Amino acid sequence: MPDEVVAALAPRPGMTILDGTFGGGGHSARLLAAGASVIAIDRDKDAIAQAAPLHAAFPDRFRIFHARFDQFPEILQREAIGPLHGILLDIGVSSHQFDDASRGFSIRFNGPLDMRMDQSDAISAASIVNSWPESEIADTLYRLGEEHASRRIAAAIVRHRDSQPFSSTTELADVIASVIPKKGAQHPAVKSFQALRIAVNDELGCLQRALAAAPPCLLPNGRIAVITFHSLEDRIVKLWMRHLSETETDRPEWPAPRPNPDLCLSLPSRRAISPSPAELAANPRARSARLRVAERLPSA
Ligand SMILES: C[S@@+](CC[C@H](N)C(=O)[O-])C[C@H]1O[C@@H](n2cnc3c(N)ncnc32)[C@H](O)[C@@H]1O
């Protein structure tokens, strides 16, 4: 949602904006074109390699770091970069990652059962399905994939790995399909693949830590814009923004609401922004994207 991100962050010369999810660099390029300086982060070395043209075009206003985005406060401190005018997080997997069979993210291709966004991380999808206890696999599929057949799938995974450890995406997809009836066009393993990817990359933990660290790193009236792709992430962002923007909090045991000690944000809109019809026509993968924006209060 590049237009919506530009509208939300209003980049201009003199601003410094953190792009915590550089990916193919589309959003960074728009922020740079509007005159802002960009501090970019990605945990995927392939994404860092794609940044060379932006380096060449904007040598004084663009820097990129190979890291997780929840590490951004350490990067700002280490590099002596002051508070930010904006923070952008466009959570999830890039098209480049999905479409590269060797990364193991997609059910559409046979590839190694990997799913690591950072190729140097220790845990891959194969290590989870080949070594985690059955109950932990089932809980992960249920919690992170909202897969109601999680116990049946986990039992089938353990039966299979006892005779042959998993190594490929197709092997896992076939085992899941063998115990889940196919409904509609969606492959029966889609939810399990999503759950494993979120677990491998600790995606929800990274998001929660980055949000918690964001307010003090923003200038007064600085904005944070977060794009999510599924309801688990959107709920984390929505509840975080709601809590930090409420003037009062209440609990059943209190006689009356009390001032919110955590108040530090205002919300330009309480509603999430969805992609425009034009973007959906050009990129159907964007259909579940939701953008939420918050602004640091001048007095916080
Ligand atoms: C949806 S893509 C971003 C696309 C980007 N906005 C663009 O315009 O091309 C997500 C990117 O964020 C990266 N990413 C996801 N989670 C991350 C994290 N916790 N820390 C750093 N990078 C992350 C992925 O490696 C991927 O390259």
Side-chain angles (χ1 to χ4, degrees):
M1 292 199 265
D3 291 341
E4 292 81 356
V5 164
V6 168
L9 297 179
R12 56 178 187 275
M15 281 186 160
T16 302
I17 298 178
L18 176 85
D19 178 356
T21 48
F22 179 78
H27 285 129
S28 280
R30 290 287 301 267
L31 301 172
L32 288 160
S37 295
V38 171
I39 308 299
I41 291 178
D42 205 293
R43 69 195 296 186
D44 185 340
K45 288 208 178 86
D46 289 357
I48 305 294
Q50 289 184 52
L54 283 186
H55 258 308
F58 303 100
D60 304 328
R61 289 195 283 119
F62 177 67
R63 298 173 72 185
I64 187 159
F65 298 90
H66 179 234
R68 290 191 323 265
F69 59 61
D70 57 315
Q71 296 169 309
F72 81 87
E74 295 100 275
I75 295 173
L76 297 185
Q77 196 179 28
R78 190 183 72 217
E79 304 294 327
I81 298 166
L84 301 161
H85 296 85
I87 297 176
L88 168 64
L89 299 176
D90 178 11
I91 310 292
V93 181
S94 68
S95 301
H96 176 82
Q97 290 165 330
F98 256 130
D99 294 340
D100 180 348
S102 74
R103 304 296 300 271
F105 284 105
S106 176
I107 240 161
R108 289 177 296 129
F109 314 113
N110 192 20
L113 192 53
D114 191 328
M115 304 196 197
R116 291 170 302 169
M117 290 183 185
D118 181 343
Q119 301 91 330
S120 57
D121 279 349
I123 296 179
S124 68
S127 48
I128 291 180
V129 295
N130 287 329
S131 68
W132 282 17
E134 182 177 329
S135 60
E136 258 184 70
I137 295 175
D139 288 350
T140 300
L141 301 186
Y142 185 75
R143 209 165 41 81
L144 303 181
E146 298 171 287
E147 172 57 77
H148 291 286
S150 57
R151 306 228 162 270
R152 212 181 325 147
I153 295 173
I157 286 174
V158 169
R159 268 198 312 276
H160 180 90
R161 80 182 185 195
D162 284 348
S163 55
Q164 172 160 8
F166 287 92
S167 62
S168 75
T169 49
T170 304
E171 215 178 347
L172 178 63
D174 288 349
V175 166
I176 295 172
S178 73
V179 291
I180 303 292
K182 190 168 180 347
K183 276 194 221 140
Q186 183 168 288
H187 192 287
V190 163
K191 290 179 175 178
S192 300
F193 268 54
Q194 172 190 298
L196 287 170
R197 193 202 82 215
I198 295 174
V200 164
N201 298 292
D202 184 23
E203 291 181 35
L204 304 186
C206 283
L207 175 60
Q208 281 162 327
R209 290 189 294 276
L211 293 179
C217 297
L218 279 172
L219 286 162
N221 298 114
R223 286 189 165 192
I224 177 165
V226 188
I227 302 172
T228 58
F229 281 85
H230 59 75
S231 55
L232 292 173
E233 296 164 338
D234 183 51
R235 191 178 146 76
I236 289 173
V237 178
K238 180 173 75 177
L239 294 181
W240 175 78
M241 288 187 176
R242 187 188 291 166
H243 174 63
L244 296 193
S245 62
E246 277 170 350
T247 51
E248 293 184 323
T249 51
D250 202 1
R251 289 208 192 138
E253 67 271 25
W254 293 347
R258 297 178 184 177
N260 178 5
D262 301 324
L263 174 67
C264 62
L265 299 178
S266 66
L267 304 186
S269 163
R270 295 187 80 79
R271 297 177 69 93
I273 300 163
S274 299
S276 65
E279 180 171 359
L280 287 178
N283 177 19
R285 278 179 180 172
R287 67 190 171 280
S288 45
R290 298 288 174 270
L291 168 66
R292 291 187 185 271
V293 183
E295 181 170 311
R296 184 169 173 191
L297 290 171
S299 54

